[in-house]
Amino acid sequence: MIVDEKSEMESFWIISAINALKALSYVYDLLTFPMYLILQRPWKRRKASRRIKARPIAKDDKSITYRSVDEPQEVHIMLERENIDTLDKIMLWITKEHKGKKCVGTRQILAEEDEVQPTGRIFKKYKMGEYKWKTYLEVEMLMTAFGRGLKEYGLTSSRNIVIFAETREEWMIAAYGCFKQNLVVVTLYATLGEEAIAHGINETEVDIVITSHDLLPKFKSLLKILPKVKTIVYMEDQLKPTDTKGYKEGVKLIPFSEVIKKGNISTAPLLSPQSDDTAIIMYTSGSTGIPKGVLLSHKNVISVMKTFCDIVEIKPDDVFLAFLPLAHVFELLAESVCLLSGVPIGYSSPLTMIDSSSKIQKGSKGDASVLRPTCVTSVPLILDRISKGINEKVMKSGFLSRAIFKFAYNYKLKWYKRGYDTPFLDKYVFGAARQVLGGRVRLILCGGAPLTPDTQTQIKICLCVTLTQGYGLTESTSCATVMDKDDTSIGRVGGPTTICDIRLVNWEDAGYRVTDVPYPRGEIIIGGENISAGYYKLLDKTKEDFFQEDGKRWFRTGDIGEIHEDGCIKIIDRKKDLVKLQFGEYVSLGKIEAELKTCPIVENICVYGDSYKTFTVALIVPNAFYLEQIARNIGINGKNFEELCNDPQIEKAVLQELIEQAKKCKLQRYEIPAAIKLCSEQWSPDMGLVTAAFKLKRKAVQERYQHEINRMYAS
């Protein structure tokens, strides 16, 4: 009885506190509204958000083509005027422009020390120093030296060279050094499995691989299936010497610094490429099968750098935090634009990026806190995790804190939609969330996969940033559409960029037509200077996906989009993700997964649909915190994570959570999974269930869990 009275009293005071906050906010609004109206001019923001971004230039019953209304900006025009059309030319021009400015920086690792945990376990942690910077002039000299060093070692006779390394400054130095000798850089994700690594190296017939200290040991076993590889250049570790014993006889192992040293005293000539020469063979992440090598020319890359400079607003104090894989065309382009714009690039990794990263000593600062970046790139998976981390932290706080956070969130969202900032809340309520990335981030560029509207909204509100979403593929050099900086809408990917046209073409099978009302819908076809020449050694696939028309190269994406009145695209489906159920309903598996990922319990999900059945099923990797919370709510205690995943009662409770979330997302009844399986193992690239870019490998997941899928349908 006493407990009930205490609980009622707490609820009374919490409700009273929230009502007091509402009253205070009302008074605050009355007093500050005139000032904010004058200073922030929200009507201008709303007008800028609604402006037309693209208009149709051709239309018939089967297709409609849109082109950007924006004009090329200063940097774009200058590159055209100066005829800067290759990556070696662009680096020379950049160096003249920025010379002594900071270019790339790497944080110093001073020592690796043992840290005893409360459980008694000992973890290895880094003692970290400051960032050590190189100027543009120094970087250009290193690039030139690396290219000449390769020539001195006799390593430039083969056109293709593989870079298989983590994101770090040496990656960019090596790549641009290769461009200066007209060598083709073959990129492979550092997280790829042995089969995919061997496929990329053998298919491109390289005899030299550039790798890192950490990845070099992989080649002790790999070299047995890499008959052509004769030389490996390895990037050294800051602390440990590299063990070069135990490798295949006849294969030379050369330190990265030795190539630079040799190049510094070399007078070997540089071999400048032409605009149409291939610069990169970039392997796709392989979400739909074996990775394909996409041929990207110097012209492809330069054209995208031009258009990114048209879109992204650069400020004098900007600093870029680099941590996504440079083997992903999106990150490579983002960093290249930073070089072009004079923005310093500070390198990081998930092991050291934030204060709570696994290699950071307790009480020490992560890279973001030291670098204090203003711009970062991200992929939806990372933003989803940040969003769920915020929710988890709020859930762990007291009832009053949760209520205050919810009030502040809804209050800010209301004024954001009206075109206003909320500086008081940004500083005192959301300030702590901003500090995770150093406290200065103003711009997050997101690409690589669709971003859910819920995550997009929460990141904007809680991190107080401009979150710009774009759409592109490796085949279009990562570029097709980009959101306008003033666009406050969610769930869209912006209008066509200044270098390409976007065409929608009817897909009759699924009922998507350009004559649809209110918005034209169809398969997205991209045409422009950013379109690849095709796939390496895959002529049939190249003919199937690429075509030439009116002097322009086009690519069939397989993605389904709808185009709005202002010329902005929304991705609504994908051909390969579409399944037709027994009663004739088309179900988009990717769309269902994107919606259900917003459910807090879902860490990862794969939805499966059998054409001979009337419903879908789902494989779910659950979030441990929320799973334990569900277990407690239904009276289950004392079980570990794996036991919870195998408990039928938990499975039933999670399914109910999923159904509720599906209803909130307005999924159709036949789209909602009727049965689920909770998977206790985290899906990783090493398991082969997700790509190196963490996209789902649907077929691999299906094969691994076929028995469970059969069981779900049988039930």
Side-chain angles (χ1 to χ4, degrees), residues 369-404:
S369 296
V370 173
L371 187 68
R372 302 192 70 227
T374 59
C375 309
V376 297
T377 50
S378 187
V379 291
L381 178 79
I382 292 170
L383 297 182
D384 284 339
R385 286 178 178 171
I386 292 172
S387 178
K388 284 175 182 174
I390 293 168
N391 290 336
E392 193 174 314
K393 198 167 184 179
V394 171
M395 287 295 292
K396 286 179 178 176
S397 63
F399 186 83
L400 179 60
S401 297
R402 289 203 300 271
I404 291 171

Side-chain angles (χ1 to χ4, degrees), residues 426-494:
D426 291 354
K427 185 173 182 180
Y428 295 105
V429 176
F430 302 111
R434 294 194 72 192
Q435 291 305 317
V436 172
L437 290 175
R440 289 206 315 147
V441 172
R442 65 172 183 85
L443 175 65
I444 298 177
L445 298 168
C446 183
L451 181 64
T452 61
D454 284 355
T455 297
Q456 189 177 359
T457 302
Q458 187 169 38
I459 295 296
K460 277 184 172 184
I461 297 298
C462 296
L463 298 190
C464 314
V465 295
T466 299
L467 177 53
T468 298
Q469 191 174 185
Y471 165 71
L473 307 95
T474 308
E475 291 87 345
S476 66
T477 325
S478 88
C479 178
T481 70
V482 180
M483 283 183 72
D484 188 87
K485 64 183 175 66
D486 297 310
D487 191 347
T488 58
S489 65
I490 57 171
R492 308 191 305 171
V493 293

Side-chain angles (χ1 to χ4, degrees), residues 241-274:
T242 304
D243 181 8
T244 57
K245 295 172 185 171
Y247 291 86
K248 183 179 169 183
E249 194 177 336
V251 175
K252 285 192 293 184
L253 273 64
I254 307 171
F256 190 88
S257 58
E258 287 299 314
V259 180
I260 297 284
K261 197 181 292 183
K262 199 116 177 171
N264 277 331
I265 57 173
S266 170
T267 56
L270 301 174
L271 184 60
S272 297
Q274 299 298 310

Side-chain angles (χ1 to χ4, degrees), residues 384-577:
D384 284 339
R385 286 178 178 171
I386 292 172
S387 178
K388 284 175 182 174
I390 293 168
N391 290 336
E392 193 174 314
K393 198 167 184 179
V394 171
M395 287 295 292
K396 286 179 178 176
S397 63
F399 186 83
L400 179 60
S401 297
R402 289 203 300 271
I404 291 171
F405 179 85
K406 186 177 179 182
F407 168 78
Y409 185 92
N410 290 331
Y411 177 87
K412 181 176 178 179
L413 183 59
K414 175 183 73 176
W415 286 106
Y416 172 78
K417 287 178 177 177
R418 295 173 182 175
Y420 290 89
D421 291 328
T422 53
F424 184 84
L425 288 182
D426 291 354
K427 185 173 182 180
Y428 295 105
V429 176
F430 302 111
R434 294 194 72 192
Q435 291 305 317
V436 172
L437 290 175
R440 289 206 315 147
V441 172
R442 65 172 183 85
L443 175 65
I444 298 177
L445 298 168
C446 183
L451 181 64
T452 61
D454 284 355
T455 297
Q456 189 177 359
T457 302
Q458 187 169 38
I459 295 296
K460 277 184 172 184
I461 297 298
C462 296
L463 298 190
C464 314
V465 295
T466 299
L467 177 53
T468 298
Q469 191 174 185
Y471 165 71
L473 307 95
T474 308
E475 291 87 345
S476 66
T477 325
S478 88
C479 178
T481 70
V482 180
M483 283 183 72
D484 188 87
K485 64 183 175 66
D486 297 310
D487 191 347
T488 58
S489 65
I490 57 171
R492 308 191 305 171
V493 293
T497 60
T498 50
I499 56 154
C500 66
D501 295 336
I502 298 291
R503 179 180 296 170
L504 297 187
V505 177
N506 288 351
W507 186 28
E508 300 289 352
D509 290 357
Y512 292 118
R513 300 180 183 88
V514 296
T515 53
D516 289 344
V517 176
Y519 306 123
R521 303 187 301 171
E523 182 184 358
I524 298 170
I525 316 288
I526 308 165
E529 286 189 353
N530 55 323
I531 301 302
S532 161
Y535 299 117
Y536 187 70
K537 292 185 177 178
L538 293 172
L539 290 177
D540 290 343
K541 186 63 178 167
T542 297
K543 287 177 184 175
E544 181 185 335
D545 291 348
F546 296 85
F547 65 95
Q548 199 82 11
E549 183 181 288
D550 299 329
K552 188 176 289 187
R553 194 150 181 80
W554 294 80
F555 173 66
R556 301 179 178 94
T557 67
D559 292 317
I560 308 300
E562 66 179 29
I563 198 152
H564 295 178
E565 300 100 326
D566 60 354
C568 284
I569 293 275
K570 182 177 182 181
I571 309 297
I572 57 172
D573 220 327
R574 179 156 178 80
K575 275 185 170 184
K576 289 174 182 172
D577 283 351

Side-chain angles (χ1 to χ4, degrees), residues 352-367:
T352 60
M353 190 164 71
I354 60 175
D355 296 352
S356 59
S357 290
S358 61
K359 278 287 188 178
I360 295 294
Q361 287 179 332
K362 194 174 182 181
S364 298
K365 289 185 175 181
D367 299 338

